[in-house]
Structures are given as C-alpha cells and as structure tokens.
Amino acid sequence: MTYKSIKGTRDILPSESWKWQWAEEKIRDVMHAFNFREIRTPVFEETPLFARSIGELTDIVSKEMYTFQDRSGDSLSLRPEMTASVVRAYIQHSLGEHSPLVKLYYMGPMFRQERPQAGRLRQFHQFGAEAIGAQNPTLDVEMIALAIAIYEALGVKKTTLKINSVGCEKCRPPYKEMLKQRLWKVRNELSQESQRRLESNPLRVLDSKAEEDRRAIADMPLLKDHLCPDCLAHFNDVIGGLVGLGIGYEEDGHLVRGLDYYTKTAFEIISKDLGAQDALTGGGRYDLLTEELGGKPTPGIGFAAGIERLMMVLEKQKLFPDGATRTTLFIATLGREAQRWAVKQALELRSRGLCVELDFLDRSLKSQMREADRLRARYVMIVGENEMVNRTVTIKTMETGEQKSVTFDDVTNFFDISYNQ
Ligand code: AMP
C-alpha cells in the first residue's frame, strides 16, 4: 500500500521550491517597501467567521469549504481565504488602537473544495495585503499600485487591470432587486447554475462565463449606472488616481466578486497567459466587514493573489533566474579519518555562510567527483590519507579547472578570499 497526495493538492519539490522562494522574496521586498507588515494566522477558524464574512450563500461557503467538527463538537473550517482571519485578528488584538491605518500582508495556503483543473487547486497559496482604517479612494489606488508593483518587480508582462464598483448597502439592494426581476424574465435562457443563483446571488449571474448566460445578460442594467452619489464619486476618484499614476485599466461593469463583503471598489488583475482561470489577483474594498464581525465600524481594502497562477505566468514568460541554487563546495573524502576532518571543516565553513556538501556513502573518488558535478559545486576539496598526513588539501575551482594545494590552517582563509570576490 502506498499513499498519494490528495486530489487537488500538490507537493512542491526542491526542483520547484527555489522558484517559490525567489518569488516570495521579491513579493516581501515590495510589501516592505510599501510599509506593509506580515501577519500569520491559524489555518483553521470557527466556521461562522467565514459564513458571516464571505456570505452563507456564496459558492465558497455553501459548497467549497472544508468544514469539520473537532472532538468537542465545534464546527471549524480550513480557511478558504485570508481577509476574514485578518479582520478577526485586527479586532481581537485591537490593532486599530495602535495605529489608525493598519497595513498587513500575508502568504500561505488556502483551502477550497473546487473541481481541480489547471490553475485551480484545493490547497492553493495566496499572497495578499489588507489596509484597514481608511475610506480614502487614494488608498484604493495605492493598493492597486502595490499589486501592480509586485508583478513588475517579478518582471510579469501583459497583465490587465479590470475595475468596477459594487456599490454599498444603500445602492446595491435596490439594484439587486431590479436585476433579479430582469433576470427572471429571461430565466429560461440562463444556465442551470445561473438559474440557481438567480434568487440567492443574482449579481454573480453577471460574471458567469457560460455562453448562454453571456447572451442573456448582454443588455442587463449594470450597477455602475445605478450607484449612489457617494459610490459614484468614490469610483471616479479612484479612476482619476489611476490615470494620475499612468496605470492602464478596463472598466468592467460585469465584474462582481464571489465574496459578499465587498463594497465600492472591486478589481481584478488578469493575465492572458493563464487560460480559462485567468485571474491573478482579486481585491476590493470592504467597508462594512469589521463591523459585521463585531468590531467598531472601520473601512478597509485588500487583495489576494494566487501564487500557483503566478508561477504559471512566470514559467510561461520565462522569468525565473537561471538555474537552481548551487553548492559552493563539495568535500571529497577517502577514509573515515578524512571524513571526520571534513565534517568539522564543513561546520566551520558553513558558519561563514558557505553551502558545503560532503560524502556520506563511502563512494569512490570518481563517483564523488560526479556528485560534485551534479550539484554544480563551484569548488571541490579532496582529502585522502596522504592529505591527512601532510595536513594539506587540494582545492579545485571547477569553472577554470585550476587546482591549488592549501594547508589545513589556510582553508578558511582561502574561502574567505575566493568566495567574497
Ligand atoms: P479570490 O479569493 O477568490 O478572490 O481569489 C483570489 C486569487 O486567488 C485568484 O485571482 C486566484 O489567483 C487565486 N485562487 C483562487 N482560488 C484558487 C484555486 N482554487 N486554485 C488556485 N488559485 C486560486
């Protein structure tokens, strides 16, 4: 009996993990440059936290959450996204008392029981940012600029920013009612999925990708034409800010997000290099969420971005740097005594920051040299019985083939000089 990873989950093997680390480091650098600080929250929470924030009737909560009862009978769920957890932590730790605008970022695994396909997994990873405490439309612009700055730092080309307003508690309900009535008239032309959503979540019908829905909703009224003066002014302000920064955008009146907590600004960054699941990033404003979760009324805005999808684009656009990490030094040894010396020497060199590998399989010198090649070692140091007697080693610089005899006492010095060049 052997075991396999669960459908929709993946192992990130060493041949790939260095790429993740490379991207994560760049993401962190940009987050820090924008003065966002990392938050790490548990991967599971009380189920009602997600039901309250994301919405009982959304696909995520009604169909996709990994929900289970623990041994004390509490209903817990693996987090399907992070905003709810971040806002929970914001309230629980009174973060707003220390700073009027709290800027947080995160990276980590999320869990949704979706139908797995390219770019859609059941355990996937997101990075994201949340800014809690300001209603200023310039902050919306700053958040969009942050997401774009990250893709730019990674070298990603050809992304498109789509933007819309999903209104607020004043203008959305009457629009929703009107939309429902209009959709009702064409319900027979809608897909099964949209017919089901018509009652529960009519706004989602608007961003359906199904061909028959597209036709049926072509001339439906759009929320952006029915915004209240406050939401309209906010939207125009955000657009003005984007123009001011020279950020290209497409207004998309059909863009509604799959989470109920959004208000006003909603946006997505998409890539044509992704195929059907083309969204790299989704985000928006959530001015009512903190209050909804029991905190003081506090506006906020954030975005979440899929890391697997980012990896697909980076791969497609050939943006990873050349090659995996290299071993700096391989110490080839012959005999137990030489091995013992090598272990000690390796400790010393590693404490100075070198990546050092040695042989633990008692291989022949020839096969140790092959291993050094496979590891792309920059240097190989050979220690056999003679070397132990003479207290001298041979160090070969692999790129040039140059060999040098170095006394035991001079080994660290040799690498201090060579490695720092
Ligand atoms: P959402 O939280 O649904 O707004 O998603 C934000 C981003 O996370 C999306 O734009 C995707 O890049 C990514 N994402 C969401 N769901 C998945 C999934 N099941 N598998 C992989 N990436 C996902």
Side-chain angles (χ1 to χ4, degrees), residues 316-332:
K316 186 110 192 246
Q317 299 187 0
K318 301 194 179 13
L319 294 171
F320 292 114
D322 184 27
T325 45
R326 296 181 66 150
T327 311
T328 314
L329 167 68
F330 188 90
I331 311 182

Side-chain angles (χ1 to χ4, degrees), residues 362-380:
D362 297 325
R363 282 175 283 197
S364 68
L365 188 58
K366 201 166 152 201
S367 97
Q368 290 188 53
M369 293 305 281
R370 262 204 303 272
E371 178 67 2
D373 262 346
R374 199 183 67 80
L375 295 172
R376 312 200 320 147
R378 289 171 61 177
Y379 302 97
V380 176

Side-chain angles (χ1 to χ4, degrees), residues 85-105:
S85 303
V86 172
V87 172
R88 195 251 323 124
Y90 171 89
I91 298 167
Q92 181 176 341
H93 304 288
S94 309
L95 297 182
E97 281 175 21
H98 307 292
S99 152
L101 178 63
V102 176
K103 295 163 67 173
L104 303 165
Y105 82 89

Side-chain angles (χ1 to χ4, degrees), residues 276-333:
Q277 304 299 319
D278 63 356
L280 275 172
T281 297
R285 188 162 264 292
Y286 46 81
D287 290 346
L288 306 174
L289 181 58
T290 309
E291 191 178 2
E292 180 73 27
L293 294 179
K296 289 195 207 109
T298 318
I301 177 163
F303 66 80
I307 304 186
E308 281 80 1
R309 292 190 196 173
L310 168 64
M311 289 294 144
M312 288 164 73
V313 172
L314 291 172
E315 203 71 71
K316 186 110 192 246
Q317 299 187 0
K318 301 194 179 13
L319 294 171
F320 292 114
D322 184 27
T325 45
R326 296 181 66 150
T327 311
T328 314
L329 167 68
F330 188 90
I331 311 182
T333 54

Side-chain angles (χ1 to χ4, degrees), residues 60 80-81 112 114 119-126 257-259 262 268-269 279-283 304-309:
I60 294 179
E81 57 103 49
R112 295 182 197 172
E114 296 193 82
R120 192 189 266 172
L121 288 122
R122 292 183 167 177
Q123 173 173 335
F124 60 99
H125 297 76
Q126 286 183 336
R257 315 260 312 115
L259 305 90
Y262 285 113
E268 274 185 5
I269 297 175
L280 275 172
T281 297
I307 304 186
E308 281 80 1
R309 292 190 196 173

